[in-house]
Amino acid sequence: MERGVHLLPFFIPKLLIMISTKQLVDGPKDVPSYWIFEFYCNLSERLTGQDIKIKSLFKPDERTPSFCIYVRDNVYRFKDFSTGMGGSAIDLVQYLFNFTLNQAAQKVICDYNEYVLTGKLNNDLREFKKQAKYQVRDYTKRGWTKQDADFWTQFCIDSDTLNNYNVIPIESYSMVKEDNSDKIVITGPNLYGYTRIDGTIYKVYQPKVTEHKFFKVKNYIQGTDQLKFNVPNLVICSSLKDAMCLTKFGYNTEVVAPDSENSLIPNGAMSMYKIKYKAICTLFDNDEAGIKAAQKYQEQYDIPGVILPMSKDLSDSVRDYGIPETRKVLHPLLKEALKK
């Protein structure tokens, strides 16, 4: 009996080590993406396939959460709209610790294996199922009102421009979950549908709300349907509103806008633009996210960027200062960026 008492403490640790080491990993792809986000974001909520939004890890003093953790292709990714950062779970660790990609991968492996050896993983039983998301299924169009005119004309955007870019006023739109389990109808003043020539809606714009001003429906490079490729220059704006506003300046340019300032226009489209136009530049918002987005285009595509040092963006500058004053500041910047 006395001998057994002495042997027992030695057998239990060896048994635990044998069980735990079967779950140790050699590469970052073997580490569950949900674990990486839970561990490094210090989440109290278990990730089982749902999307969540938290305050930015890079701007802890922000008031409105802008850091989105979401599922794509059955793995978790992130998008931080306050800084423009985004990517995989490993990318997150790279940004957090200012590591190289390899250093981030090694840290994840070490931290996960250390977690495994604590035995906590054995109690982590969860069913991972991607949460059904809402999608815009249909919308009800309405007529233009004076309220609409008051909103758009402050940016010097008239009805002809809105019609040319297929912006329509809508009474309401329906959102249905992917699995058809729920449906909601959104109504309100100043609702607009951004559509293509065939009437297909690709984005809903709700300028009067404080959050979620845009609801993306489909991938689309805004302004594509209006391109004629008959001028020498192309300006990539941060939004369709800015793009429409720029057309009122009378420059010898065409305009497009990506889904958002934080998303790069794909390589294929950029290659085509470089063939069709003599010069291309970006014109993004005058904030941290806009500046970083312009830098990405410079690094990725060798395209110069213009940052207008007035209001937050071009359309706000026109609203606050008018086209003549905005042109005085913008013209030399665009001329420099588009020179060949």
Side-chain angles (χ1 to χ4, degrees), residues 5 29 74 84 100 103 123 127 173 176 200 203 212 215 220 243 256 263 300 312 330:
V5 171
K29 291 184 178 180
N74 292 321
T100 65
Q103 287 173 329
N123 298 320
E127 180 183 355
Y173 64 97
V176 182
T200 302
K203 185 177 289 187
H212 307 300
F215 190 93
Y220 176 62
V256 293
S263 59
Q300 183 81 14
K312 178 178 178 292
L330 178 61

Side-chain angles (χ1 to χ4, degrees), residues 194-210:
Y194 287 6
T195 69
R196 301 199 60 176
I197 291 177
D198 62 3
T200 302
I201 190 168
Y202 64 85
K203 185 177 289 187
V204 175
Y205 180 34
Q206 308 171 110
K208 295 299 184 180
V209 301
T210 55

Side-chain angles (χ1 to χ4, degrees), residues 198-233:
D198 62 3
T200 302
I201 190 168
Y202 64 85
K203 185 177 289 187
V204 175
Y205 180 34
Q206 308 171 110
K208 295 299 184 180
V209 301
T210 55
E211 292 187 54
H212 307 300
K213 291 180 180 293
F214 292 99
F215 190 93
K216 176 181 171 181
V217 182
K218 295 180 180 295
N219 291 323
Y220 176 62
I221 301 173
Q222 301 169 105
T224 297
D225 289 340
Q226 288 72 33
L227 295 178
K228 295 182 173 59
F229 307 107
N230 58 358
V231 296
N233 305 314

Side-chain angles (χ1 to χ4, degrees), residues 5 89 96 141 149 163 170 182 185 188 192 237:
V5 171
L96 283 175
K141 189 176 178 180
N163 290 331
I170 57 177
D182 191 25
V185 178
Y192 305 101
C237 295

Side-chain angles (χ1 to χ4, degrees), residues 5 49 83 108 117 146 210:
V5 171
T83 63
V108 168
L117 291 174
K146 183 180 183 302
T210 55

